[in-house]
Amino acid sequence: MRASPGVMAAVEKLAAAELRSVNAQVEILLREAMARRGISPSDDAPPTDDA
């Protein structure tokens, strides 16, 4: 996935603040954005931690 350095820095800070990996944080952000648009992802449970 490509994103601007500023977006990635913000995701990294958010992930660190919430004690998640960047990958887990990106998935959570994507799921939240999809939910706001009424899009339902597969029935996979969201990650709780990537450690």
Side-chain angles (χ1 to χ4, degrees):
M1 180 176 110
R2 291 185 214 185
S4 71
V7 168
M8 288 309 298
V11 171
E12 289 169 1
K13 284 182 183 180
L14 184 58
E18 296 186 3
L19 303 175
R20 293 189 177 108
S21 70
V22 171
N23 279 346
Q25 191 67 45
V26 167
E27 182 168 353
I28 288 168
L29 291 170
L30 287 171
R31 287 178 179 271
E32 289 173 353
M34 290 174 20
R36 282 194 305 271
R37 290 177 177 244
I39 301 168
S40 179
S42 66
D43 291 337
D44 295 338
T48 56
D49 192 0
D50 199 47

